[in-house]
Amino acid sequence: MRTYNKLQSIVYAVLMVLSVWATQARGEGYTKEEVVAITILAEARGEGKRGMYAVACVISKRMKERKKTGAQVCLQPWQFSCWNKNDPQRPHLRKLLRHELAPYAMKLAKNIDNLQLKFVEFANHYHTKRVSPYWSKGKRPVATIGNHLFFKL
């Protein structure tokens, strides 16, 4: 029994290290605030400041729910497509920090804990109107801002 528990503990520890390493590797040397700002820009720069604020609110809500940093939330696999390995935006993410709305995105990232989550009715998920992900089937959006539908799941 002891050998099994030791082996189980070792496997668990290795999986935890690999999980942390994979998340950090996805950030590619960006600061935590840059990861959040890049995510906001990649997801909503075409929606202007209102859309960017809305996406930042979702990140903030997930931070509170999951007890994680903004960067940890953004870099979780399959949460924000810009960080996915095969996403076409991925090679160009650093350029987003030079976008005209980058200073606003950085301001949101620096103040991520102080956003008014009521703006998106405390939503923790969203998607654009042009897609219909499996998790939104049968769900009603709690807010619509620009081309994004927001959900509280």
Side-chain angles (χ1 to χ4, degrees), residues 114-126:
N114 302 313
L115 303 180
Q116 299 301 311
L117 305 185
K118 177 80 172 127
F119 185 71
V120 292
E121 299 298 330
F122 302 93
N124 56 8
H125 283 70
Y126 67 91

Side-chain angles (χ1 to χ4, degrees), residues 48-67:
K49 289 183 177 181
R50 283 178 44 84
M52 291 170 60
Y53 190 90
V55 167
C57 286
V58 169
I59 294 169
S60 181
K61 177 70 171 159
R62 289 184 184 185
M63 288 170 57
K64 290 170 176 53
E65 289 176 347
R66 300 174 185 182
K67 296 177 178 37

Side-chain angles (χ1 to χ4, degrees), residues 72-93:
Q72 288 171 324
V73 166
C74 293
L75 295 175
Q76 279 187 290
W78 308 109
Q79 298 299 299
F80 296 94
S81 60
C82 64
W83 297 107
N84 294 343
K85 187 176 181 179
N86 296 324
D87 189 275
Q89 289 189 91
R90 182 78 186 268
H92 312 289
L93 292 179

Side-chain angles (χ1 to χ4, degrees), residues 13-151:
V14 168
L15 289 174
M16 291 302 293
V17 168
L18 288 174
S19 173
V20 169
W21 175 80
T23 298
Q24 290 173 341
R26 291 163 54 97
E28 299 168 3
Y30 299 107
T31 68
K32 290 178 181 180
E33 289 171 348
E34 287 173 336
V35 168
V36 174
I38 287 168
T39 305
I40 293 166
L41 287 161
E43 295 286 318
R45 67 188 177 276
E47 296 293 312
K49 289 183 177 181
R50 283 178 44 84
M52 291 170 60
Y53 190 90
V55 167
C57 286
V58 169
I59 294 169
S60 181
K61 177 70 171 159
R62 289 184 184 185
M63 288 170 57
K64 290 170 176 53
E65 289 176 347
R66 300 174 185 182
K67 296 177 178 37
K68 294 186 179 287
T69 67
Q72 288 171 324
V73 166
C74 293
L75 295 175
Q76 279 187 290
W78 308 109
Q79 298 299 299
F80 296 94
S81 60
C82 64
W83 297 107
N84 294 343
K85 187 176 181 179
N86 296 324
D87 189 275
Q89 289 189 91
R90 182 78 186 268
H92 312 289
L93 292 179
R94 187 163 296 283
K95 291 179 185 174
L96 289 176
L97 294 173
R98 294 190 303 267
H99 190 278
E100 65 185 69
L101 289 171
Y104 181 68
M106 284 299 291
K107 182 177 177 183
L108 290 173
K110 288 177 182 175
N111 294 290
I112 197 80
D113 291 322
N114 302 313
L115 303 180
Q116 299 301 311
L117 305 185
K118 177 80 172 127
F119 185 71
V120 292
E121 299 298 330
F122 302 93
N124 56 8
H125 283 70
Y126 67 91
H127 66 76
T128 66
K129 292 177 181 177
R130 7 176 246 273
V131 300
S132 185
Y134 73 91
W135 54 261
S136 68
K137 299 281 191 247
K139 307 283 193 288
R140 297 190 74 145
V142 294
T144 302
I145 298 171
N147 289 308
H148 287 105
L149 303 173
F150 292 82
F151 299 83

